[in-house]
Amino acid sequence: MDENDIRPKFLEIEHKKVIKNDVMWLKEKQKNFSLVCCPSCGSNNYKYLYKKYFLTQVLCKDCNTQFVNPRPTEKILKEFYSRSVNYEFFAKNIFSRTEEVRLKKIFMPRAKYLSKKIDTKGKTLLEIGAAYGFFVEAVKKLKLFKKIIAVEPTPDLAAKLRKKNNLVVIEKAYENIVMKEKVDVVANFEVIEHLYNPKKFLKWCYDITKPNGCIFLTCPNISGFETTVLGKFSTSVDHEHLNMFNPNSISLLLKNVGFKFIEVTTPGKLDVDLVRSALDKKNIKSNALGGFLQQLYKENNTKKLKQFQNFLSSSGESSHMMILAYKK
Ligand SMILES: [Zn+2]
């Protein structure tokens, strides 16, 4: 899988325009942003890194979480996502074109990983931010879980999810849901980096999980290969990602809300390709990579680059991470 498989390159210019529109909308609300402490460890000991778009990125000196500070409040974010032209663009142009590859290369492996880790027979899964239902689809294909609940506050997406069989759809933001029963597995993918208050969200997840249940999530890893090499030019650093954890800081946060036995893996597959793309676009200079990487990219040996990506993924150094944590 490369970047073009999930974000077609011919849509890039159009995509940039819609992002600009969203960024401008946020910028107008700037005076109402609020200052926060580190979203992982709660420390107030952070340093200024750089600005991207107009947002200030800071780094926690205690746990190395990178975060946007000051940041849009919960109220601003709610309005932002309900009118985001970027989300609309993704729905119409990107997800529809990349559905098959996303299911096969991203969501099936996630579902398979989960099925190897836990016994899902007779159990209940709740996914927050089920969106297009890729994970729901993957889980169904593998015949995992007895009951699946999909939480999706966006009306259009919720309507699509309702068309799927044997699926309970809750069209609400998680804060407004009162669960009558606890669930065995809470899943959420690429959700936590968008939130104003990730700890509050994880606490909610913890509270609705049965004893011996678990949480399963994915998010960017700010200390991975691509995010480290590209810094502010990483596509992970954007106006939507307010919290950029690393394996240690996400573990710390999960521990703080009560989860135990935290397993972090980095199955990301795009690091090598994203760095190449940044070189092609001249976002970074080749000599900034250092001699070793410069040679690797110059040589352009497909097999070797693939092996390098496999090394990054298997050694915990990819910029996309997956976490499983238990309530015991
Ligand atoms: Zn911290």
Side-chain angles (χ1 to χ4, degrees):
M1 178 172 78
D2 61 27
E3 193 194 4
N4 189 50
D5 288 334
I6 57 164
R7 291 191 282 259
K9 284 205 164 70
F10 74 96
L11 292 168
E12 220 166 82
I13 295 169
E14 190 63 22
H15 191 202
K16 267 193 178 156
K17 274 189 210 159
V18 295
I19 287 178
K20 199 176 169 193
N21 185 307
D22 273 11
V23 169
M24 293 312 286
W25 186 93
L26 268 181
K27 198 175 178 188
E28 281 169 20
K29 306 281 182 291
Q30 188 170 196
K31 62 178 189 306
N32 295 319
F33 281 16
S34 75
L35 276 169
V36 293
C37 297
C38 170
S40 170
C41 73
S43 168
N44 221 351
N45 187 19
Y46 54 82
K47 65 171 184 183
Y48 173 85
L49 281 180
Y50 51 79
K51 275 185 196 269
K52 182 164 180 182
Y53 303 118
F54 68 98
L55 298 161
T56 304
Q57 299 279 342
V58 302
L59 182 74
C60 174
K61 287 187 190 173
D62 292 328
C63 75
N64 290 320
T65 295
Q66 182 176 324
F67 57 107
V68 171
N69 204 21
R71 58 178 53 196
T73 60
E74 279 174 331
K75 190 172 166 253
I76 296 172
L77 287 174
K78 197 179 169 202
E79 201 185 339
F80 173 76
Y81 285 113
S82 70
R83 46 76 49 213
S84 163
V85 284
N86 185 27
Y87 266 49
E88 205 185 324
F89 180 82
F90 249 87
K92 273 193 193 143
N93 300 292
I94 298 186
F95 284 118
S96 55
R97 281 189 175 88
T98 59
E99 207 165 326
E100 218 170 289
V101 63
R102 280 174 190 270
L103 180 64
K104 195 173 144 203
K105 300 275 177 79
I106 301 175
F107 289 91
M108 283 303 280
R110 282 177 191 171
K112 281 181 186 161
Y113 175 85
L114 187 62
S115 72
K116 279 185 194 143
K117 288 285 176 184
I118 59 156
D119 180 13
T120 61
K121 213 174 162 192
K123 305 269 173 74
T124 301
L125 165 75
L126 178 136
E127 187 189 358
I128 302 166
Y132 301 87
F134 292 126
F135 188 63
V136 166
E137 210 52 57
V139 159
K140 284 182 165 212
K141 270 200 171 152
L142 295 173
K143 299 191 167 44
L144 310 177
F145 295 101
K146 188 183 175 199
K147 184 177 177 184
I148 307 172
I149 306 167
V151 173
E152 181 46 65
T154 312
D156 290 358
L157 295 173
K160 275 191 189 144
L161 287 168
R162 273 197 206 93
K163 288 181 185 149
K164 295 186 189 289
N165 295 327
N166 302 321
L167 180 67
V168 180
V169 180
I170 305 178
E171 192 183 319
K172 279 181 184 172
Y174 85 88
E175 300 97 321
N176 304 326
I177 302 170
V178 181
M179 293 290 294
K180 284 184 201 134
E181 47 170 346
K182 294 200 174 187
V183 301
D184 299 286
V185 178
V186 181
N188 54 89
F189 306 109
E190 280 73 63
V191 169
I192 196 159
E193 64 270 30
H194 295 257
L195 304 174
Y196 176 80
N197 188 342
K199 193 174 182 182
K200 182 175 128 187
F201 170 70
L202 289 179
K203 181 78 178 60
W204 185 87
C205 293
Y206 184 83
D207 289 342
I208 64 149
T209 304
K210 282 182 192 167
N212 295 320
C214 63
I215 185 168
F216 185 41
L217 69 141
T218 58
C219 62
N221 168 16
I222 196 64
S223 69
F225 175 75
E226 179 259 330
T227 43
T228 303
V229 172
L230 299 185
K232 77 184 281 191
F233 297 106
S234 166
T235 48
S236 285
V237 180
D238 70 10
H239 60 296
E240 293 181 6
H241 296 169
L242 306 179
N243 318 295
M244 301 285 280
F245 301 105
N246 57 60
N248 289 329
S249 73
I250 190 74
S251 302
L252 185 71
L253 179 57
L254 284 158
K255 263 183 214 155
N256 280 340
V257 296
F259 286 105
K260 289 183 178 129
F261 306 105
I262 297 147
E263 297 169 17
V264 183
T265 51
T266 61
K269 297 269 179 281
L270 297 178
D271 299 74
V272 169
D273 197 43
L274 289 167
V275 170
R276 168 186 305 289
S277 171
L279 283 168
D280 290 346
K281 286 178 202 153
K282 300 197 172 18
N283 282 341
I284 53 160
K285 285 193 181 118
S286 161
N287 57 15
L289 292 177
F292 178 82
L293 290 174
Q294 215 175 334
Q295 182 57 34
L296 190 71
Y297 278 101
K298 200 175 157 195
E299 198 182 338
N300 201 17
N301 179 323
T302 314
K303 193 179 163 203
K304 211 185 258 188
L305 290 169
K306 201 174 172 197
Q307 283 172 331
F308 183 52
Q309 179 63 57
N310 288 342
F311 157 75
L312 295 172
S313 308
S314 60
S315 59
E317 303 295 344
S318 164
S319 296
H320 186 256
M321 56 183 173
M322 181 160 81
I323 304 107
L324 190 59
Y326 301 85
K327 179 173 179 176
K328 283 191 177 165

